[in-house]
């Protein structure tokens, strides 16, 4: 994977726990445009790589920006990012997109919870500038914890619906009217905690087709690996045995086969490969329902063979 060197040009404290870092090239110029909803890998000062959604203007007229929430459960990523200062250098990947705007949708319903607002911000900016029909539903514990809320209120007050301090039991009910009113051909976009997205997705499927619901995950799913068994993987005519306690990526890497990876948790999509034969056991949080059901692609950092049979792969 290609990385570029960038400099922290500006830091904005959005809330007590969320700060936005703006990145420019070392000469001060913009990194360039990107597709709304995209994210980048950031190699922080502790060499820990994490994925962050871009939340700046997608047209490239301002610096790349990522919003980072400081969490108690951080494994070194968010705390290190919060220690950065203006002038510090980090490395970022080229933008990749798993939550892109569906250009064929009649209307776009953006739903965010907490720091899940970050990809929705770039998408809302794009949709608003292009005059495309959209609305945003923003769930946060309080106004003080709702990053970017003042900006959203200023720029699109009629399209932004605030759901502050809403109990978990009442979250689904808050969206029923929006789904009822959504015109035919609407698409839904979700980002937030896994539990939140799971229940909203299930509710949304009562109103729109499953392939019209787009999700971005920040967390890997818990997977029971106790029943795992070994299986074979074939790539470029060579067969590799994958033991129960190792991933496809681990085995290929050990054999000297280059596979792009990043998160190693099934949430970034870097390692997706094409499946030519075999039945994948999908354990990622990246692929859509349609992609999973097709059986033609898999995230090889976490997914395995569903029946113990051979998986034949091809670089995607």
């Amino acid at each position: 994977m290609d990385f570029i060197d960038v400099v922290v040009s500006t830091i904005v404290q959005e809330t007590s726990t969320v700060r936005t870092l703006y990145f420019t090239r070392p000469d001060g110029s913009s990194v360039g445009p990107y597709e709304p909803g995209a994210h980048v890998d950031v190699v922080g000062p502790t060499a820990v790589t994490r994925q962050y959604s871009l939340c700046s203007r997608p047209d490239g007229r301002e610096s790349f920006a990522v919003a980072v929430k400081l969490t108690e459960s951080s494994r070194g990523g968010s705390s290190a990012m919060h220690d950065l200062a203006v002038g510090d250098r980090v490395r970022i990947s080229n933008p990749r997109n798993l939550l892109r705007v569906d250009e064929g949708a009649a209307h776009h319903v953006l739903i965010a919870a907490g720091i899940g607002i970050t990809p929705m911000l770039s998408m809302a900016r794009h949709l608003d500038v292009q005059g495309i029909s959209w609305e945003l539903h923003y769930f946060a514990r309080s106004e003080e914890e709702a990053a970017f809320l003042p900006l959203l209120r200023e720029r699109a007050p009629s399209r932004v619906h605030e759901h502050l301090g809403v109990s978990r039991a009442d979250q689904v009910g808050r969206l029923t009217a929006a789904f009822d009113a959504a015109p035919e051909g609407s698409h839904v976009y979700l980002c937030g905690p896994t539990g939140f997205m799971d229940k909203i997705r299930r509710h949304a499927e009562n109103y729109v087709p499953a392939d019209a619901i787009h999700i971005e995950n920040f967390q890997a799913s818990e997977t029971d690996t106790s029943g795992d068994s070994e299986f074979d993987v074939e790539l470029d005519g060579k067969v590799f045995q994958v033991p129960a306690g190792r991933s496809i990526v681990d085995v290929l890497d050990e054999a000297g086969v280059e596979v792009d990876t990043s998160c190693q948790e099934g949430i970034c999509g870097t390692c997706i490969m094409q499946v030519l034969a075999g039945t994948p056991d999908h354990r990622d949080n990246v692929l859509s329902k349609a992609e999973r059901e097709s059986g033609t692609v898999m995230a090889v950092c976490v997914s395995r063979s569903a029946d113990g049979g051979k998986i034949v792969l091809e670089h995607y």
Side-chain angles (χ1 to χ4, degrees):
M1 185 188 303
D2 294 329
F3 283 82
I4 61 173
D5 293 321
V6 294
V7 176
V8 180
S9 59
T10 306
I11 297 175
V12 177
Q13 195 72 37
E14 307 290 351
T15 71
S16 61
T17 59
V18 177
R19 56 168 29 188
T20 301
L21 306 171
Y22 288 85
F23 300 134
T24 63
R25 295 184 182 274
D27 64 3
S29 62
S30 170
V31 182
Y34 68 91
E35 191 178 15
H39 69 273
V40 293
D41 291 1
V42 180
V43 182
T46 58
V48 174
T49 302
R50 291 289 181 268
Q51 293 74 43
Y52 296 102
S53 296
L54 292 167
C55 56
S56 48
R57 286 179 52 167
D59 58 15
R61 296 183 182 180
E62 67 180 15
S63 308
F64 271 17
V66 299
V68 182
K69 181 177 180 179
L70 182 63
T71 61
E72 294 181 1
S73 59
S74 169
R75 291 174 292 173
S78 68
S79 58
M81 294 289 282
H82 272 247
D83 288 338
L84 288 171
V86 171
D88 286 346
R89 293 197 177 202
V90 296
R91 303 181 71 216
I92 66 172
S93 69
N94 291 317
R96 300 195 308 280
N97 205 342
L98 302 172
L99 195 68
R100 56 177 47 88
V101 171
D102 191 302
E103 300 295 342
H107 179 67
H108 304 267
V109 182
L110 314 180
I111 304 171
I115 197 61
I117 189 62
T118 49
M120 301 304 173
L121 187 60
S122 70
M123 297 171 76
R125 286 174 157 178
H126 167 76
L127 294 168
D128 202 50
V129 168
Q130 298 299 319
I132 301 171
S133 180
W134 67 280
E135 62 186 277
L136 168 66
H137 293 264
Y138 187 5
F139 290 82
R141 292 176 182 172
S142 66
E143 184 169 343
E144 292 72 24
E145 296 182 62
F148 305 111
L149 186 55
L151 173 65
L152 290 164
R153 284 172 170 170
E154 177 187 351
R155 299 292 176 84
S158 64
R159 298 183 182 273
V160 177
H161 305 271
E162 306 167 19
H163 306 287
L164 305 177
V166 177
S167 69
R168 293 180 180 179
D170 292 335
Q171 289 171 338
V172 167
R174 287 296 186 101
L175 295 170
T176 297
F179 291 148
D180 276 333
E184 184 176 353
S186 294
H187 279 234
V188 176
Y189 306 81
L190 298 172
C191 193
T194 302
F196 171 84
M197 291 193 295
D198 285 346
K199 66 182 178 183
I200 300 303
R201 173 185 53 78
R202 289 193 296 268
H203 188 55
E205 287 179 349
N206 295 317
Y207 300 86
V208 300
D211 60 2
I213 302 173
H214 312 272
I215 293 177
E216 178 160 272
N217 284 279
F218 289 121
Q219 296 173 299
S221 296
E222 293 289 335
T223 303
D224 181 7
T225 61
S226 60
D228 286 354
S229 60
E230 68 179 34
F231 63 97
D232 289 338
V233 163
E234 181 179 330
L235 177 66
D236 296 333
K238 297 180 180 180
V239 178
F240 308 88
Q241 188 177 79
V242 182
R246 305 190 68 195
S247 70
I248 296 174
V249 163
D250 288 339
V251 170
L252 294 179
D253 182 65
E254 186 177 77
V257 179
E258 185 175 346
V259 179
D260 280 342
T261 62
S262 180
C263 71
Q264 297 274 3
E265 296 178 317
I267 59 175
C268 75
T270 306
C271 71
I272 290 174
M273 298 184 74
Q274 188 172 356
V275 178
L276 302 182
T279 305
D281 174 14
H282 296 292
R283 301 182 178 184
D284 64 278
N285 290 104
V286 175
L287 297 176
S288 67
K289 182 178 180 180
E291 288 172 325
R292 287 170 176 246
E293 291 177 348
S294 75
T296 59
V297 290
M298 67 186 296
V300 295
C301 70
V302 292
S303 298
R304 305 180 67 81
S305 169
D307 54 12
K310 183 167 69 175
I311 299 286
V312 181
L313 298 174
E314 184 173 74
H315 290 286
Y316 192 54

